[in-house]
Amino acid sequence: MPGGQKYRLRARSDREVVREIEPGVRYLDGDSGEELKVVGAVLPLAPSPSDLPYAVENLRLCGCSLEQLAQKDLNDCPHCGRRLPAVEG
Ligand SMILES: [Zn+2]
């Protein structure tokens, strides 16, 4: 099952963490103890059929004439509904 909305959290030292958050909860960096501030929501916005952040390393072309990008953990293209071929490697 795909999870909930993920957010990008950043510490003063520019360390970044991507995780789901709960309202009103303070998050601290596990290594440095610095407080993490939410800097943005990670695409795709929940609910999404994919659990992968919408980042170039997680995307591939769906192969149809629309030439749209689809996350690698999807079985079907979210744009045209076509079955995606298995990911190599
Ligand atoms: Zn497609």
Side-chain angles (χ1 to χ4, degrees), residues 2-7 20 41-51:
Q5 177 62 51
K6 291 192 175 66
Y7 291 86
E20 294 174 33
V42 176
L43 294 174
L45 296 175
S48 160
S50 172
D51 206 26

Side-chain angles (χ1 to χ4, degrees), residues 62 64 77 80:
C62 80
C64 75
C77 172
C80 67

Side-chain angles (χ1 to χ4, degrees), residues 5-12 15-39:
Q5 177 62 51
K6 291 192 175 66
Y7 291 86
R8 189 177 298 277
L9 302 154
R10 188 179 295 153
R12 263 205 318 274
R15 275 174 58 89
E16 287 200 347
V17 177
V18 172
R19 58 164 299 155
E20 294 174 33
I21 60 171
E22 311 249 0
V25 175
R26 277 173 81 230
Y27 291 98
L28 301 178
D29 184 276
D31 294 333
S32 67
E34 293 175 288
E35 184 169 4
L36 297 164
K37 301 269 193 221
V38 177
V39 291

